[in-house]
Amino acid sequence: MKLLRFSTALIVAMHLLGVTAEAQEKKDPWAEARTVTLNSGDNKEVGTAKLLQIPNGVLVRLALTKAAPGAHAFHVHAVGKCEGPEFTTAGGHFNPMSKKHGLLNTEGSHTGDLPNVIVPDSGAVIDETVIPHVTLTAGDHTLADADGSALVLHAGPDDYTTDPTGNAGARMACGVIAPPQAAK
């Protein structure tokens, strides 16, 4: 009898607070995320990135499965074109506010400058980062404009200060963030 009263009281409390059974179901926000496949210069899959729009930017969950061990710069590049083996078609870093390179640069950083990714000897890692003040929908700082943008993993680490590239070395993997009509 006590269990029944507790359950009834809980249902009444949830109703009064506006919590419906539908709202109680746990939904996986990553189910709505955009998936980007990162390929090496010889067109072999290195991993994927899921991009999820959040209120003040885009959350990126990078899941590398076959990356070279070590520290690697990870950037958003301005053009959604990943032609290997060097991926120069991805252009420079995504930089809509015309800042200098480097997360430690006193003059600000490119919007596409992201923290280094540390890959263990296994070649597999999951890393999450936020790209602030950008969107996957229409807007001034969209990653999915008419020519898209690209996620690029570099051979070496970003030193976070040297303009324009952070001395990150060659581009070793690339994945296209396609415009919305091309993403479907």
Side-chain angles (χ1 to χ4, degrees):
M1 191 64 155
K2 289 182 182 180
L3 181 60
L4 180 60
R5 276 191 227 139
F6 177 75
S7 297
T8 304
L10 183 60
I11 291 169
V12 170
M14 290 183 346
H15 178 70
L16 292 173
L17 293 172
V19 179
T20 64
E22 187 176 303
Q24 293 173 48
E25 291 180 22
K26 291 187 177 186
K27 293 183 182 179
D28 179 11
W30 292 104
E32 302 296 318
R34 301 257 304 269
T35 300
V36 173
T37 301
L38 282 87
N39 291 315
S40 64
D42 59 354
N43 206 30
K44 294 197 166 95
E45 186 174 322
V46 173
T48 60
K50 289 196 174 237
L51 286 74
L52 183 64
Q53 185 69 55
I54 58 175
N56 293 309
V58 172
L59 178 60
V60 179
R61 178 180 284 171
L62 179 66
L64 299 175
T65 55
K66 297 177 183 169
H72 300 282
F74 184 49
H75 299 132
V76 179
H77 284 249
V79 181
K81 197 169 190 180
C82 291
E83 293 177 1
E86 297 174 356
F87 305 118
T88 57
T89 54
H93 295 174
F94 184 72
N95 189 17
M97 295 182 282
S98 301
K99 300 284 186 174
K100 299 284 186 180
H101 174 79
L103 293 174
L104 299 178
N105 193 316
T106 57
E107 296 180 49
S109 63
H110 298 154
T111 304
D113 293 346
L114 304 175
N116 289 328
V117 175
I118 310 300
V119 179
D121 289 339
S122 68
V125 67
I126 295 176
D127 189 75
E128 288 185 354
T129 191
V130 172
I131 308 169
H133 313 297
V134 298
T135 182
L136 293 171
T137 58
D140 290 338
H141 300 130
T142 182
L143 299 176
D145 61 4
D147 66 355
S149 56
L151 295 174
V152 175
L153 191 68
H154 290 263
D158 189 327
D159 66 16
Y160 298 140
T161 56
T162 305
D163 193 51
T165 64
N167 286 329
R171 300 170 184 192
M172 63 180 247
C174 186
V176 173
I177 302 170
Q181 65 277 12
K184 294 181 179 186

